[in-house]
Amino acid sequence: MVVTQTLGPAVSLAATLAEAAVRFGDAPAVVRWDDEPLGYAGWWQQALAVARWMARRGVSEGDRVALILPSGLEYLVAYAAASALGAVTAGVNPSLAPAERAALVELVDPVLVVSDPTLTDGLPADRNVELVTPCEPGRAPWAAQLEADRCAFQGGGVAGPPPLDGAPQPLPGRAAALVFTSGTTGLPKAARFTEGALSAVAALDLGAIAHRWGGGGPMFVSTQFAHVGLMTKLPWYLRTGTRLHLVNRWRADDVLELVARERMGVIGAVAPQVALMLRSAQMDALDLSAVNLLIVGGAASPTPLVREARERFAAGYTIRYSSTETGGCGLATPPWPEHPGDDRTIGRPRPGIEASIRDDDGAEVPDDSLGELWIRTPSAMSGYWEAPEATAVALSDGWVRTGDLAVREPATPERPGRYRLAGRRGDMYIRGGYNVFPAEVEAVLADHPAVAQVAVVPRVDEVMGEVGVAVVVPRPGLAAPTLESLRRHGEALIARYKLPEAMIMLEALPLGTTGKVDRRLLIELGGRPDRREGSGA
């Protein structure tokens, strides 16, 4: 049985937006990359209209609504609309391949799928799919769809759902969002977050000011909207009156110009994005003096990168460790080093969160011993959607088993006990904040006609954190594959970020004493480029 924890009253996106609309009125809540604004009051009115539109298509409390939309105004309005009905939003990352998107839709079995017209490939014909296109400058989101629907609905003379004037009262145990995560097996799963968890996220992130209104400033969104970083945190963004600036396509130059122009005080990013910003000529050309803090998660932060970022931004840099299953809340390092070696760790649990290092049987291990990192936080998921066995593996008596190996340093009077990551269970690696599972990639590349055997291993990369290296045994009698041909073969089946970015040719894959492929040796080979590496030329 999963126990729902909460910190304070439950919150919902719709109820928070309704109150924010009253408090902040027409103040811009969101500004699109082309400077198209969406005010708080306008957002709420649009959400109510789209909620009525959804209700006419059969959506009611507890139903799932899948969004296959770019990270734009339409997505935000739809998420709030579903919340106004008490429905559950499942965001599908549009950068996934068509087959992957279709699999996630099938997993959550939504009553309604809302999709951009360019993202419908692969969706089953029997799905209830409605299309929405991005609004033009000067027009409200969903205006074209709502106008067409209004004419059809009124002309048909069919009784519609009862009028909708507000949002249902938030409930701690009611599901609010499904956030997809591959977990440690590579199989798609959907982490279920309740309105109680959304309340906990706000309390953990905001601390003593969690129940105040206002005080927020401009910030940009650095992840896809389907990511846990927006799905669970959006309510508190609204509560603080934050002005969200959307980025059409993440480019270091453009982001730095936005940060300088809007005088942003906080930059949220993953380490590869910070590395790209530091390489940009705009770093020295722009006035970035308003920046006082970088909050960096999603991938490891090399210590030299942390030092350079602090120096050049003249700002604090905190490394954040969390997972989708913990609701994006977990451990953190101090913005400025308080003890030697702080930046070589993932810090300590944030207030209100616990961490523990456990062995394979779930028993705590002594300090300085390797084990699996477990986290207990009220922001955690209540379980995976329709996956009780996977839930039982991931959750244990309120603890989230992260699948990451770590060590807890002994606490001393001079230094608190900190946690150091030591690797990951399985072979998963993180490229630019995205989890990549070699087995999934290998299964796709193995179908290449010129490949006899293939293994994918990670290599450390200064920008992306880690990238994939394909170790290939070519099929006899055929021309050896190139990196370009491997990527071309795979991009129709899996997302491009999962594809390898280097290739090594071997006559045979090395085997260990058990007869299995020696992945440790392959990782060593993959980390040392040599003359056997192919560039795809």
Side-chain angles (χ1 to χ4, degrees):
M1 177 180 178
V2 177
V3 178
T4 300
Q5 296 177 299
T6 185
L7 295 177
V11 301
S12 71
L13 175 59
T16 306
L17 178 57
E19 180 68 16
V22 174
R23 291 177 177 269
F24 305 129
D26 293 329
V30 187
V31 181
R32 199 168 60 183
W33 49 88
D34 57 1
D35 294 329
E36 181 68 18
L38 177 62
Y40 279 92
W43 184 354
W44 177 233
Q45 291 305 312
Q46 284 290 308
L48 286 175
V50 174
R52 291 189 285 268
W53 177 91
M54 288 181 175
R56 288 196 285 273
R57 283 147 183 80
V59 178
S60 59
E61 183 172 350
D63 289 334
R64 276 88 59 212
V65 176
L67 305 182
I68 313 179
L69 298 171
S71 297
L73 304 181
E74 288 68 30
Y75 187 110
L76 296 175
V77 171
Y79 186 12
S83 177
L85 294 172
V88 189
T89 297
V92 178
N93 189 334
S95 68
L96 296 174
E100 294 173 305
R101 297 196 298 264
L104 298 187
V105 169
E106 290 299 291
L107 176 65
V108 300
D109 190 23
V111 169
L112 176 67
V113 179
V114 180
S115 177
D116 185 280
T118 65
L119 298 171
T120 59
D121 289 351
L123 293 178
D126 60 350
R127 282 291 166 197
N128 182 12
V129 180
E130 296 283 352
L131 304 180
V132 59
T133 55
C135 63
E136 299 175 355
R139 296 202 72 187
W142 288 82
Q145 289 79 13
L146 293 175
E147 181 60 31
D149 179 71
R150 189 177 299 113
C151 295
F153 181 71
Q154 292 174 348
V158 180
L164 182 68
D165 298 319
Q169 184 68 26
L171 298 173
R174 181 164 56 207
L178 295 174
V179 181
F180 292 107
T181 173
S182 294
T184 56
T185 64
L187 299 175
K189 295 184 286 291
R192 176 182 182 270
F193 290 96
T194 64
E195 292 173 345
L198 299 188
S199 171
V201 169
L204 293 168
D205 281 349
L206 297 178
I209 65 170
H211 302 297
R212 299 179 190 172
W213 287 86
M219 63 178 289
F220 69 87
V221 183
S222 61
T223 63
Q224 288 281 354
F225 284 0
H227 190 273
V228 69
L230 182 118
M231 294 296 289
T232 63
K233 298 175 187 287
L234 186 56
W236 77 248
Y237 293 167
L238 303 185
R239 189 177 190 92
T240 59
T242 295
R243 185 172 72 251
L244 292 174
H245 288 263
L246 309 187
V247 178
N248 185 26
R249 181 179 178 186
W250 201 99
R251 296 183 180 88
D253 288 357
D254 296 342
V255 169
L256 287 172
E257 290 176 3
L258 176 63
V259 169
R261 182 177 70 247
E262 300 298 328
R263 304 291 295 166
M264 294 183 182
V266 178
I267 292 177
V270 294
Q273 291 173 332
V274 176
L276 290 171
M277 285 189 280
L278 293 176
R279 292 183 177 189
S280 169
Q282 297 289 56
M283 275 295 303
D284 298 319
L286 297 170
D287 178 6
L288 301 169
S289 59
V291 178
N292 57 66
L293 179 64
L294 288 84
I295 300 176
V296 185
S301 286
T303 303
L305 175 70
V306 179
R307 286 199 298 262
E308 182 184 358
R310 284 201 185 108
E311 178 181 349
R312 298 186 64 189
F313 279 102
Y317 187 117
T318 175
I319 300 168
R320 296 290 175 91
Y321 171 89
S322 65
S323 69
T324 296
E325 289 86 349
T326 66
C329 299
L331 288 74
T333 62
W336 298 96
E338 296 175 355
H339 305 91
D342 275 349
D343 296 334
R344 291 192 293 273
T345 74
I346 54 172
R348 304 178 65 247
R350 295 166 57 194
I353 299 175
E354 299 174 78
S356 177
I357 305 296
R358 308 290 181 97
D359 63 18
D360 290 343
D361 296 323
E364 286 194 293
V365 302
D367 288 347
D368 274 339
S369 298
L370 184 67
E372 183 180 9
L373 176 60
W374 290 25
I375 295 177
R376 181 156 63 184
T377 171
S379 63
M381 68 172 187
S382 58
Y384 294 121
W385 180 259
E386 297 295 325
E389 294 182 359
T391 298
V393 172
L395 300 179
S396 178
D397 295 327
W399 290 87
V400 175
R401 305 177 66 162
T402 69
D404 284 328
L405 299 175
V407 172
R408 182 183 184 273
E409 298 176 346
T412 68
E414 296 79 22
R415 185 188 66 202
R418 303 171 302 189
Y419 291 76
R420 290 184 285 107
L421 287 180
R424 287 181 285 275
R425 289 194 181 276
D427 302 315
M428 184 269 288
Y429 62 93
I430 301 176
R431 180 199 181 276
Y434 287 99
N435 293 352
V436 181
F437 294 87
E440 179 188 22
V441 184
E442 290 163 2
V444 170
L445 300 184
D447 285 334
H448 188 289
V451 171
Q453 289 180 286
V454 60
V456 175
V457 294
R459 171 186 294 171
V460 174
D461 183 81
E462 290 182 359
V463 173
M464 302 310 299
E466 294 173 304
V467 297
V469 179
V471 184
V472 174
V473 177
R475 192 172 298 279
L478 297 176
T482 64
L483 177 61
E484 180 183 3
S485 71
L486 287 179
R487 290 179 59 85
R488 190 167 55 247
H489 172 81
E491 65 184 6
L493 300 173
I494 55 176
R496 290 180 62 86
Y497 68 78
K498 300 178 182 180
L499 298 173
E501 296 178 44
M503 183 179 70
I504 293 174
M505 294 283 191
L506 295 181
E507 294 180 358
L509 296 181
L511 303 179
T513 57
T514 62
K516 296 181 179 179
V517 173
D518 188 340
R519 300 194 74 90
R520 185 182 299 274
L521 179 57
L522 287 180
I523 290 172
E524 292 179 3
L525 291 173
R528 301 196 307 264
D530 61 19
R531 60 183 175 84
R532 294 170 297 178
E533 180 164 331
S535 65

